[in-house]
Amino acid sequence: MQVTQNAPLAPLTTFRLGGPADRLVTATTDDEVVAAVREADAAGTPLLIVGGGSNLVIADAGFRGTALRVATRGVRLDGTGLELAAGENWSDAVARTVDAGLAGVECLAGIPGSAGATPIQNVGAYGQEVAETITEVVAYDRRAGETVTLRNEECGFSYRHSRFKGDPERFVVLRVRFRLEDAGGLSAPIRYAETARVLGVEPGQRVAAEAARETVLKLRAGKGMVLDPEDHDTWSAGSFFTNPILDGAAFADFVKRAADRLGPDVHPPAFPAGEGLTKTSAAWLIDRAGFTKGYGDGRARISTKHTLALTNRGRASTEDLLALAREVRDGVREAFGVTLVNEPVTVGVRL
């Protein structure tokens, strides 16, 4: 276990933003993770868990407490069962499952970050989300002071949400277990229309799992969603806002506002999201509110490749980023009456 005082946190995040932590502990085993958590809790020291840093917005002032970097390693494939240590690189793990001929997470290729973060956010993209394949999450329960195993149904998964995200001070994820599908090297049925179109198939059809993975990687790269140190469009947290889910009254008001602003022939994106609920597109809202690709003239701007990504152009501060995020959020609310919610976790700041 490595301990560093006054440690910079910006290099540990994909935004490359944020000040230092009073203390940074890097843990490489589950026992070290648990020991570090117990030590901080016993001392009453604020604790920040850092995995791949792809979903963190840290204050310029940094973090007054202990940052725990989870750098554990371990991949175990047993038939269609997969167990990942929390510190494993997620995109690398997806590649290994495809190489093994297994289906279920191939469309989640290229998502930056660590395996331990995937259940927290219920990571999803291109028609898949991890809640569909996770069977168990092994975590340290800070409230009970013990390691527990939570079954899928105990994790409270919903759209970009989970029990872990809803109660962030309680659980520290140690391991994640999945049940994948042996489809003879084929993918799971392709659900996402854009992916199906590029692959030249109808939604619901299967393709070679490697073809699905490669297609998703190309789509993500075209939107600046695959990390590249030389490309400032990837100095981001991916999608900064989640797609809004609206009840009947809110959606009707939104449709009216869209017609008033854009004309009666404009039909906003609408997808069923449960009884009486409709999901619409945050990217559509942002773009139609006037925040197009490349918007901004400061050190933080909207990506030139995707309106959902807010980016650090190289010398931005966290406050620069938040000013842009607030401008976009408030502009969308004024235009359409819909309040966007940030997807990344904020540390020491609020949107």
Side-chain angles (χ1 to χ4, degrees):
M1 188 155 53
Q2 181 180 347
V3 179
T4 307
Q5 305 296 328
N6 194 33
L9 293 179
L12 303 183
T13 74
T14 53
F15 265 125
R16 295 166 172 80
L17 295 176
D22 289 344
R23 184 170 177 260
L24 173 66
V25 176
T26 300
T28 58
T29 69
D30 290 355
D31 287 345
E32 288 182 354
V33 172
V34 171
V37 174
R38 284 176 170 165
E39 178 186 5
D41 287 349
T45 302
L47 182 67
L48 171 65
I49 307 298
V50 180
S54 61
N55 204 42
L56 285 177
V57 178
I58 298 173
D60 292 316
F63 182 69
R64 303 281 72 82
T66 295
L68 171 58
R69 185 183 180 205
V70 179
T72 53
R73 294 292 180 266
V75 178
R76 185 169 65 87
L77 267 171
D78 183 9
T80 58
L82 170 69
E83 180 181 278
L84 298 174
E88 282 290 335
N89 179 280
W90 172 251
S91 192
D92 290 348
V94 171
R96 292 183 70 158
T97 69
V98 171
D99 289 343
L102 299 176
V105 294
E106 62 279 358
C107 291
L108 302 178
I111 294 176
S114 62
T118 61
I120 297 171
Q121 194 74 4
N122 186 15
V123 163
Y126 294 96
Q128 292 180 344
E129 60 182 21
V130 293
E132 299 166 330
T133 49
I134 287 176
T135 57
E136 294 178 332
V137 175
V138 180
Y140 178 67
D141 184 341
R142 298 168 67 183
R143 192 171 301 162
E146 61 184 12
T147 298
V148 297
T149 300
L150 300 173
R151 300 185 306 276
N152 179 290
E153 59 269 25
E154 297 176 291
C155 294
F157 290 127
S158 60
Y159 172 63
R160 300 297 177 272
H161 195 74
S162 70
R163 180 179 183 182
F164 311 106
K165 187 175 181 180
D167 192 0
E169 301 300 317
R170 180 167 182 181
F171 295 103
V172 178
V173 176
L174 301 175
R175 299 190 167 265
V176 189
R177 294 170 181 154
F178 302 80
R179 180 63 61 190
L180 304 175
E181 179 187 5
D182 184 352
L186 296 179
S187 69
I190 301 297
R191 298 176 185 161
Y192 199 70
E194 183 183 23
T195 314
R197 177 180 55 79
V198 174
L199 285 164
V201 300
E202 293 295 320
Q205 289 185 278
R206 296 176 185 260
V207 298
E210 180 58 30
R213 174 179 171 272
E214 288 296 329
T215 296
V216 166
L217 286 173
K218 289 176 182 176
L219 288 171
R220 291 185 64 86
K223 299 173 183 178
M225 299 292 186
V226 177
L227 293 180
D228 179 352
E230 304 303 316
D231 183 359
H232 286 287
D233 278 335
T234 74
W235 290 32
S236 75
S239 299
F240 194 89
F241 297 104
T242 58
N243 290 323
I245 296 177
L246 308 175
D247 62 23
F251 185 73
D253 178 65
F254 162 47
V255 170
K256 182 181 182 303
R257 285 172 176 255
D260 291 344
R261 181 182 178 90
L262 304 171
D265 296 330
V266 172
H267 302 287
F271 310 95
E275 186 174 355
L277 300 175
T278 301
K279 181 164 66 175
T280 191
S281 166
W284 189 95
L285 286 161
I286 293 167
D287 183 75
R288 299 313 192 278
F291 304 101
T292 54
K293 295 174 185 176
Y295 177 87
D297 56 7
R299 296 176 296 185
R301 302 178 197 172
I302 292 178
S303 166
T304 65
K305 301 181 179 71
H306 199 301
T307 52
L308 264 183
L310 308 187
T311 67
N312 170 10
R313 306 317 292 182
R315 294 182 295 109
S317 67
T318 299
E319 280 305 312
D320 292 331
L321 174 75
L322 292 174
L324 175 62
R326 291 171 186 134
E327 182 184 3
V328 171
R329 178 199 62 191
D330 295 348
V332 166
R333 183 168 53 207
E334 181 179 350
F336 298 112
V338 177
T339 301
L340 296 177
V341 176
N342 53 290
E343 187 168 335
V345 174
T346 55
V347 178
V349 291
R350 294 185 66 182
L351 186 59

